[in-house]
Amino acid sequence: MIPDLKILDALMARMQALGITELDYSRDGEHIRLVRGTQDTAPTPPVAAPALPVVETLPAATKTETTIDAPMHGQFYASPAPDASPFVKPGDIVAEGQPLYILEVMKTLSRIEAEFPCRIVAVLVANADAVSPGTPLFTVEPLDA
């Protein structure tokens, strides 16, 4: 059985856009496993959502940015509903326990909250992107409580 070339093209484009090197895809009894070779000289960075300009900037020496990463495989949703505003956007100050995003895993929606107070510097994934454990979702600047 020859796989649909449109699906292959879409999967390969998604791999390149997300910077992943291996992908397993199964649907309707069809299984596709794609592996990107090491011919690339530089890894492809993940696609980042367009960041809004940050009004407040700190000197580089005092800036302590970190990332908030995906805890497991799933679908990333930036807002509580398709027509709603995102939970957070660049420049927002977030309190510990404040919702950041929703992660859908096997048709179960989990609202993920901030584990510490921080300022959102950048959102690194687009709404409805598939994420894997360790995928950076946000660049944040931790704040003192």
Side-chain angles (χ1 to χ4, degrees):
M1 178 176 182
I2 298 174
D4 184 352
L5 292 179
K6 289 181 183 178
I7 291 174
L8 281 176
D9 287 341
L11 291 173
M12 289 187 295
R14 190 72 166 166
M15 285 178 68
Q16 184 172 4
L18 294 173
I20 58 176
T21 58
E22 192 171 324
L23 176 77
D24 280 313
Y25 172 83
S26 296
R27 184 174 178 189
D28 299 330
E30 180 180 38
H31 180 87
I32 299 171
R33 181 169 183 262
L34 299 173
V35 178
R36 286 178 55 193
T38 57
Q39 296 172 346
D40 293 336
T41 56
T44 305
V47 175
L52 298 174
V54 178
V55 177
E56 177 186 18
T57 58
L58 298 175
T62 63
K63 216 172 211 182
T64 56
E65 293 179 356
T66 187
T67 60
I68 294 176
D69 302 333
M72 63 186 96
H73 291 279
Q75 203 81 16
F76 171 89
Y77 294 107
S79 60
D83 58 344
S85 298
F87 287 109
V88 296
K89 57 189 178 302
D92 285 356
I93 303 294
V94 176
E96 181 177 346
Q98 182 176 336
L100 295 174
Y101 63 100
I102 290 176
L103 192 64
E104 179 184 6
V105 180
M106 298 181 68
K107 304 293 182 196
T108 301
L109 300 173
S110 299
R111 188 174 289 208
I112 309 299
E113 300 172 344
E115 295 180 7
F116 53 88
C118 59
R119 182 177 63 84
I120 304 295
V121 175
V123 179
L124 304 174
V125 293
N127 192 48
D129 273 357
V131 296
S132 301
T135 301
L137 305 175
F138 302 93
T139 300
V140 299
E141 182 182 344
L143 302 175
D144 295 330

